[in-house]
Amino acid sequence: MSEETHERAPRGSTNEETRQRNLSLILSTVHAQGQQTRSDLTSVSGLNRSTVLALVGELVERGLVVESQPVPDGRAGRPSPVVSPSDDVLALSVNPDVEAVTFALVGLGGNVRMRESTMTPPHLAPAHVAQRAREFLERNLPELPPSTRLVGAGVAVPGLVDARDDRVVMAPNLGWSKVPLAAIIGDATGLPVTSANDASLGVLAESLFGAGRDCDNLIYLNGSTSGVGGGVISDGSLVRGVNGFGTELGHILLNRQGEQCACGRVGCLETEVNVRRIWHVLGRTVAIDELDDLYAGDASPALAAELDHQADALAAGIASLACIFAPERVVLGGHVGALLEARSDRIHAEVERLAFGPLGIGISIVRNSLRARMMPIGAAELAFAPLLRDPARTILYSVGDLIG
Ligand SMILES: [Zn+2]
């Protein structure tokens, strides 16, 4: 953000709008960058010292940040107080997926406080997800200090979510269509709820707190139990497309002689690169978190051949995407992150071989760094967004409000 946007209010705006924008800037900085000294905040924001002092004071009063005295560093002068995100402000994140649903409580600053992932029957009904969200809160909130407050819930959905009315238009692997999931979870929990596509939230989390930091041209692919989701940051912005439906990278067509996809077509990337194919080879299901141990152990010839096949298909997909987006970095999460770990040389060599000239050379292909924390953090970002935009006027819910 450029300096002049903060202190010098644009024509027609009021002092109140300027103050709101400045509070937002300070809280967003502490949220994304972690603890900051007050003098760092002064230089990052371009605001003057007394303004930052007043803004931090208001955020402390509202319980959104805490100020502490720094450890003396021996340098001359009085050390600047340290401003950190408050531990008391949490968001609920919900991620329903095929055969598993994950709930988490995430603090400002991307701090995952509690996370529960449980296997469920396939095709879990939306009402059951909402019921389990309620039970998760009832079980865990009483363990937290009474000063805890929740801002809302974010839901990461493996499917298309209409950004206009927050409905799940289509989540083929869950068998859902036209489901007002956010509203159903809102009714069950008493929280404001927002939903979005899981992979878009993954790329958001990685670009804020993980392997996508400081990168303006990023492709992200995540392998969940539902298939492969994707997200793209191009020239610093998340690519959304019409109604927010863009970047379904798991459904780029890869093999016209291939298998039927849950989306109704044949040969999508996710029919070739899919953890369920691994399950089929093994004759059992394996949680995404356990794939690394499995691949690091002695692989059967059938598993090794399947990993080679998936590595080649993934590389072909990345090579095609590189032609469109010319990424600097490709971040791989979930099942495809574990696949990268198991077949790194093969994937890198294939991407270079298959890509269009220079577009395949020198792309950094890395694993996501947030791992299991990624989806909770991404979903929580949805819930934190209104608070970060308007810290003074966003309602927070106490534990007592929610579970009586
Ligand atoms: Zn498909």
Side-chain angles (χ1 to χ4, degrees):
M1 221 177 272
S2 64
E3 287 185 9
E4 57 277 352
T5 51
H6 313 310
E7 209 137 28
R8 190 148 33 84
R11 241 177 305 167
S13 93
T14 63
N15 287 340
E16 179 49 34
E17 282 167 353
T18 306
R19 192 184 65 104
Q20 179 207 323
R21 210 165 44 242
N22 289 340
L23 281 171
S24 167
L25 174 67
I26 298 291
L27 185 61
S28 299
T29 304
V30 173
H31 171 62
Q33 310 291 328
Q35 62 174 38
Q36 306 273 310
T37 65
R38 215 157 62 201
S39 64
D40 286 342
L41 286 171
T42 303
S43 49
V44 168
S45 65
L47 301 170
N48 67 42
R49 278 173 54 187
S50 61
T51 305
V52 170
L53 181 71
L55 293 167
V56 169
E58 176 165 354
L59 293 173
V60 169
E61 208 165 282
R62 293 185 179 280
L64 301 174
V65 302
V66 290
E67 240 185 341
S68 54
Q69 290 309 313
V71 182
D73 60 2
R75 283 187 300 186
R78 202 148 49 100
S80 178
V82 175
V83 183
S84 318
S86 165
D87 282 340
D88 283 342
V89 181
L90 303 178
L92 170 67
S93 72
V94 182
N95 177 212
D97 211 331
V98 174
E99 307 209 13
V101 57
T102 305
F103 299 102
L105 289 169
V106 182
L108 275 173
N111 177 14
V112 179
R113 298 274 291 276
M114 290 174 185
R115 176 176 167 271
E116 277 182 23
S117 196
T118 51
M119 298 303 263
T120 59
H123 303 312
L124 192 64
H128 284 127
V129 175
Q131 177 61 26
R132 286 181 179 223
R134 165 103 203 151
E135 289 162 6
F136 173 80
L137 292 178
E138 285 171 348
R139 219 170 29 252
N140 289 293
L141 291 185
E143 309 291 319
L144 296 165
S147 50
T148 304
R149 290 172 302 157
L150 265 70
V151 66
V155 189
V157 181
L160 298 179
V161 178
D162 194 324
R164 295 166 301 180
D165 60 7
D166 219 332
R167 273 169 183 263
V168 179
V169 177
M170 185 182 177
N173 291 293
L174 294 173
W176 296 353
S177 70
K178 302 193 184 81
V179 174
L181 183 65
I184 294 170
I185 294 176
D187 285 345
T189 59
L191 287 168
V193 182
T194 315
S195 61
N197 172 265
D198 56 356
S200 302
L201 296 174
V203 74
L204 194 66
E206 287 292 330
S207 69
L208 266 173
F209 299 109
R213 251 184 147 149
D214 306 319
C215 179
D216 280 347
N217 287 285
L218 176 76
I219 291 177
Y220 168 72
L221 290 166
N222 184 60
S224 74
T225 52
S226 289
V228 174
V232 175
I233 291 185
S234 182
D235 295 333
S237 302
L238 183 68
V239 175
R240 293 179 192 277
V242 174
N243 303 337
F245 290 167
T247 69
E248 280 291 342
L249 306 184
H251 298 280
I252 59 171
L253 295 173
L254 207 66
N255 179 3
R256 297 181 64 185
Q257 273 72 51
E259 291 174 21
Q260 173 97 39
C261 182
C263 75
R265 300 177 307 154
V266 169
C268 296
L269 173 67
E270 75 168 45
T271 63
E272 303 285 326
V273 180
N274 198 309
V275 72
R276 281 180 282 171
R277 289 177 62 122
I278 303 288
W279 294 352
H280 183 73
V281 168
L282 296 171
R284 63 186 168 95
T285 60
V286 180
I288 300 280
D289 293 358
E290 290 160 15
L291 292 172
D292 282 314
D293 287 345
L294 176 74
Y295 297 163
D298 278 333
S300 66
L303 178 59
E306 180 59 29
L307 288 173
D308 286 349
H309 172 84
Q310 296 205 21
D312 292 351
L314 175 65
I318 292 172
S320 295
L321 294 169
C323 296
I324 307 168
F325 296 109
E328 174 190 342
R329 205 176 297 164
V330 176
V331 176
L332 304 176
H335 162 55
V336 289
L339 182 61
L340 176 70
E341 203 84 45
R343 291 291 184 274
S344 177
D345 291 348
R346 190 177 181 113
I347 291 169
H348 279 91
E350 276 295 279
V351 169
E352 281 208 16
R353 190 177 73 80
L354 294 171
F356 174 50
L359 290 170
I361 297 167
I363 302 176
S364 123
I365 304 173
V366 297
R367 193 166 185 185
N368 77 333
S369 63
L370 300 174
R371 303 288 169 88
R373 292 181 299 136
M374 178 191 68
M375 216 49 90
I377 289 174
E381 280 305 303
L382 282 178
F384 284 131
L387 179 70
L388 296 173
R389 214 164 32 236
D390 193 351
R393 280 181 297 199
T394 301
I395 295 168
L396 295 166
Y397 300 81
S398 72
V399 172
D401 290 341
L402 293 168
I403 54 173

